[in-house]
Amino acid sequence: MNKLIAFGISLLLVVGTTINTAVGHHGFSVEDIAKKAMSATMKSVDAICAATDFKDSCIKTLTPVANNASATPHDYLKAAFEVTAREVQIVLEKSGVIAKDAHGSIDKMAVEDCKELLQFAIDELQSAISMVGHHERHKAADLTAELKNWLSAVVSYQESCIDGFEHREVKRSMRDGLLNATQLTSNALTIIGEMSSILETLNINVGFNIKPRHQHHGQHGHHRHLNADDYPTWFAPSDRKLLALQESGRLAPSAVVAKDGSGQYKTIAEAISAYPKNSASRYVIYVKTGTYDEYITITKEKTNILMYGDGPTSTIITGHKSNRDGITTFQTASFSVIGDGFIGKSIGFENTAGPEGHQAVALRVQADRAAFFNCRMDGYQDTLYVQAHRQFYKNCAISGTIDFIFGDSSTLIQDSTIIIRRPLDNQQNTVTAQGKKLKGESTALVLQNCKIEPEPKLVPERLKIPSYLGRPWKEYAVTVIMESTIGDVIRPEGWLPWAGNFALDTLFYAEYNNVGPGANTNQRVKWKGFKVITNRDEALPFTAGPLLQGNEWLPETGIPVTLGLSH
């Protein structure tokens, strides 16, 4: 029987039993029967909202759905998303009022950033609504992973909007404006995560199991390569051998960029502008050796781009925008990726603002299912902004000083070199600053089989200048360092507080099976949220299979990937 029909029948049986009992034994009036029926349907609302942090708003949102006795789990989810989207739209429309109170260039720019970010949030919610509306096309586990992925991105965009403001009053105005939307997003994330137990509470067994399915590939840690017979529906047949051809030098790219005029275009921007509308195949851009001083954004509609160069120290995309220049962190990126399915290979991304520039992003990624192979990201503070969605980095080199890998995404960095640079005098280094704001989000930052080491310039002072694995940017920050080699550049305590006791009880920081002089955990911080993982099964959820649903898309990128643990 169809799961949704079964749910409707089960709920009707609950209501029907109530009515039959009332008429058969007590002779209640029609009004009494109606009240009994309403009580039965409201039981579902109470059950769904029980685990949420903002129960009143949850009940208010879902009560209209309960009036429909045949409502399904998907109806409740859809209602939760729709009301959240309406709230975000209201804030978007009111952003002009907040703009009047903006002070200086950064706050004014932050308002414009908010308009863009909140529109991204609405787009994500619309995608969630559409997916729930076509639930019959998706397995329950797929549905859960995708919905959590989109809603986690909504949270990231809301927080990115708020964080962009410099002045406290304007920041507070935007946070207050987004309060309802933030609470509703939190509720929606909880509902997704708790739906199985909700149905159990209602004694309704419809097989609606939305727990993430077991990742068979995650158990063994083997490598997967391009396989012409193993592709998801979104990966067009014509694309299947592109990366294999590129490896062999036989790939004919869609566009060639060369500063010396030997290609079709002299700038990367021109090649991206030539992206064909409504293209069903992957758009391949080859960027020849050279330093390209141009600010690039792969916009939302430009999906499934493969961009490759002649090597991360030969093909370099550079910029120098920084917070010091009155530019929001969001806008400092030399290269930004929004369009889903982006693959970057053998390219360097850098921001040359230096440590004096403070926040200065080299690469910002908010695209879903984005992957980078054999790339470099060089900067100082805030080098790599892993802003949202699912991201994978393999065989890369990432350098910086303060919070140089940061954001609120599901990101796995594998087999890469993490290079800690010399900061300004009286500064300290933090490799990561993960930004999970709500406990229901599915986001985490994981470094697996990486090397964490100082740049040559820092080596003489590496024991004097403090360096840490990370600090918690937001309340529920999740960061895991596993199977990596940690140099003595990292202090024995390992991790640094953000401010006082902020997030120390609610974060989840973990280390598993690391080696090297900086991997000794005997003197690590004693925070409630920090853990040394000793059980292999506890580490598996942070591998590429479970964390990124990587078995569904990473093999098709052509990038060799370890879907589970390395050892």
Side-chain angles (χ1 to χ4, degrees):
M1 183 184 293
N2 180 282
K3 294 175 182 177
L4 303 177
I5 295 172
F7 179 87
I9 291 172
S10 300
L11 196 54
L12 283 169
L13 285 172
V14 173
V15 178
T17 301
T18 303
I19 294 172
N20 288 337
T21 301
V23 173
H25 298 286
H26 303 287
F28 289 156
S29 66
V30 173
E31 288 80 4
D32 290 329
I33 294 170
K35 287 178 181 178
K36 287 283 187 180
M38 182 56 69
S39 174
T41 55
M42 283 304 296
K43 180 183 178 185
S44 59
V45 173
D46 291 338
I48 290 171
C49 294
T52 61
D53 288 331
F54 307 100
K55 295 181 180 61
D56 290 345
S57 61
C58 179
I59 291 169
K60 183 179 178 182
T61 298
L62 300 185
T63 295
V65 182
N67 293 332
N68 176 5
S70 60
T72 70
H74 299 87
D75 292 325
Y76 288 106
L77 285 175
K78 189 176 179 183
F81 300 151
E82 286 174 340
V83 71
T84 307
R86 286 197 297 272
E87 282 294 331
V88 177
Q89 183 66 48
I90 289 169
V91 181
L92 179 60
E93 291 168 358
K94 289 181 177 178
S95 57
V97 176
I98 295 173
K100 294 178 182 177
D101 298 324
H103 309 285
S105 62
I106 285 188
D107 281 352
K108 289 177 181 176
M109 189 176 289
V111 171
E112 296 306 308
D113 291 349
C114 278
K115 291 178 181 178
E116 185 176 352
L117 287 160
L118 295 179
Q119 186 57 58
F120 287 139
I122 292 168
D123 292 345
E124 302 287 347
L125 288 161
Q126 292 296 341
S127 295
I129 291 165
S130 177
M131 190 175 199
V132 172
H134 297 90
H135 49 75
E136 66 279 357
R137 300 177 188 174
H138 306 279
K139 294 179 181 178
D142 292 335
L143 186 66
T144 303
E146 295 303 317
L147 293 178
K148 280 202 163 192
N149 173 44
W150 282 325
L151 261 71
S152 296
V154 170
V155 178
S156 176
Y157 297 145
Q158 291 170 350
E159 286 297 299
S160 295
C161 162
I162 294 165
D163 289 334
F165 292 98
E166 194 171 50
H167 288 84
R168 188 177 300 174
E169 299 82 9
V170 191
K171 186 189 288 273
R172 186 186 300 116
S173 294
M174 182 56 76
R175 187 175 292 281
D176 290 346
L178 278 167
L179 184 61
N180 286 344
T182 302
Q183 292 181 354
L184 290 166
T185 308
S186 172
N187 286 345
L189 278 164
T190 302
I191 291 168
I192 295 167
E194 297 290 331
M195 189 58 78
S196 290
S197 59
I198 288 166
L199 293 174
E200 186 177 335
T201 299
L202 290 170
N203 284 325
I204 297 172
N205 181 13
V206 298
F208 191 87
N209 176 17
I210 64 170
K211 293 179 182 177
R213 69 168 175 267
H214 190 65
Q215 303 288 349
H216 295 289
H217 300 300
Q219 295 287 335
H220 306 295
H222 59 278
H223 291 282
R224 291 280 304 277
H225 296 268
L226 200 65
N227 182 339
D229 298 319
D230 185 17
Y231 286 85
T233 54
W234 58 267
F235 205 86
S238 59
D239 297 339
R240 294 182 178 184
K241 296 180 180 178
L242 281 178
L243 285 161
L245 288 171
Q246 193 258 315
E247 288 284 359
S248 65
R250 294 183 290 118
L251 173 64
S254 315
V256 178
V257 181
K259 296 196 75 172
D260 62 7
S262 62
Q264 298 159 274
Y265 307 101
K266 287 189 175 181
T267 68
I268 297 169
E270 290 174 308
I272 292 170
S273 295
Y275 178 95
K277 290 184 178 179
N278 304 317
S279 173
S281 60
R282 189 169 286 278
Y283 186 61
V284 181
I285 303 173
Y286 168 37
V287 185
K288 289 188 175 183
T289 296
T291 299
Y292 296 82
D293 189 355
E294 47 182 318
Y295 292 95
I296 300 297
T297 298
I298 307 296
T299 51
K300 185 178 178 66
E301 72 280 2
K302 291 173 179 166
T303 58
N304 294 329
I305 288 178
L306 163 61
M307 182 181 294
Y308 68 95
D310 285 325
T313 58
S314 298
T315 299
I316 299 170
I317 299 167
T318 189
H320 55 80
K321 290 181 180 179
S322 71
N323 194 250
R324 178 191 56 187
D325 301 326
I327 299 172
T328 58
T329 304
F330 180 71
Q331 296 289 0
T332 62
S334 305
F335 195 94
S336 299
V337 185
I338 304 172
D340 291 347
F342 180 88
I343 300 172
K345 186 173 181 184
S346 302
I347 297 175
F349 305 90
E350 68 177 19
N351 189 312
T352 60
E356 303 84 8
H358 303 296
Q359 294 93 335
V361 178
L363 174 65
R364 178 175 69 85
V365 182
Q366 68 181 75
D368 193 22
R369 299 186 176 194
F372 294 82
F373 178 67
N374 190 32
C375 290
R376 283 191 70 96
M377 300 86 184
D378 290 315
Y380 284 86
Q381 183 171 350
D382 291 0
T383 304
L384 175 59
Y385 189 178
V386 290
Q387 187 175 13
H389 289 304
R390 293 167 290 199
Q391 306 179 28
F392 180 70
Y393 298 79
K394 176 84 169 188
N395 193 33
C396 292
I398 306 164
S399 74
T401 54
I402 300 169
D403 306 338
F404 65 94
I405 306 171
F406 76 109
D408 186 20
S409 59
S410 297
T411 290
L412 178 65
I413 300 171
Q414 193 174 88
D415 299 343
S416 296
T417 304
I418 311 301
I419 304 164
I420 301 175
R421 305 181 80 170
R422 193 197 187 287
L424 294 174
D425 291 341
N426 301 316
Q427 284 186 333
Q428 50 205 5
N429 294 315
T430 42
V431 175
T432 67
Q434 209 275 338
K436 180 176 174 179
K437 173 70 176 178
L438 302 178
K439 62 184 177 183
E441 293 180 72
S442 56
T443 60
L445 175 56
V446 180
L447 274 58
Q448 181 185 19
N449 201 34
C450 291
K451 291 181 181 178
I452 301 173
E453 59 189 32
E455 68 170 351
K457 186 178 178 181
L458 179 61
V459 170
E461 300 177 273
R462 71 189 187 284
L463 303 180
K464 183 175 72 173
I465 296 173
S467 296
Y468 304 88
L469 294 171
R471 58 177 181 160
W473 186 23
K474 303 289 179 178
E475 287 88 334
Y476 293 93
V478 177
T479 305
V480 179
I481 315 294
M482 60 186 186
E483 302 183 312
S484 294
T485 302
I486 304 175
D488 62 2
V489 65
I490 296 298
R491 291 287 292 265
E493 57 267 40
W495 305 84
L496 182 70
W498 185 271
N501 293 322
F502 172 77
L504 302 188
D505 289 348
T506 50
L507 60 76
F508 182 81
Y509 278 174
E511 298 179 49
Y512 171 72
N513 205 22
N514 298 308
V515 297
N520 190 320
T521 58
N522 290 340
Q523 298 181 54
R524 285 296 193 254
V525 293
K526 306 301 180 185
W527 306 340
K528 182 180 177 181
F530 173 73
K531 181 172 188 177
V532 177
I533 296 175
T534 56
N535 187 324
R536 178 183 175 88
D537 289 341
E538 288 185 54
L540 279 171
F542 299 100
T543 58
L547 180 66
L548 307 178
Q549 294 76 57
N551 58 315
E552 297 175 8
W553 63 281
L554 280 172
E556 287 69 48
T557 64
I559 297 171
V561 54
T562 301
L563 287 167
L565 293 167
S566 299
H567 309 109

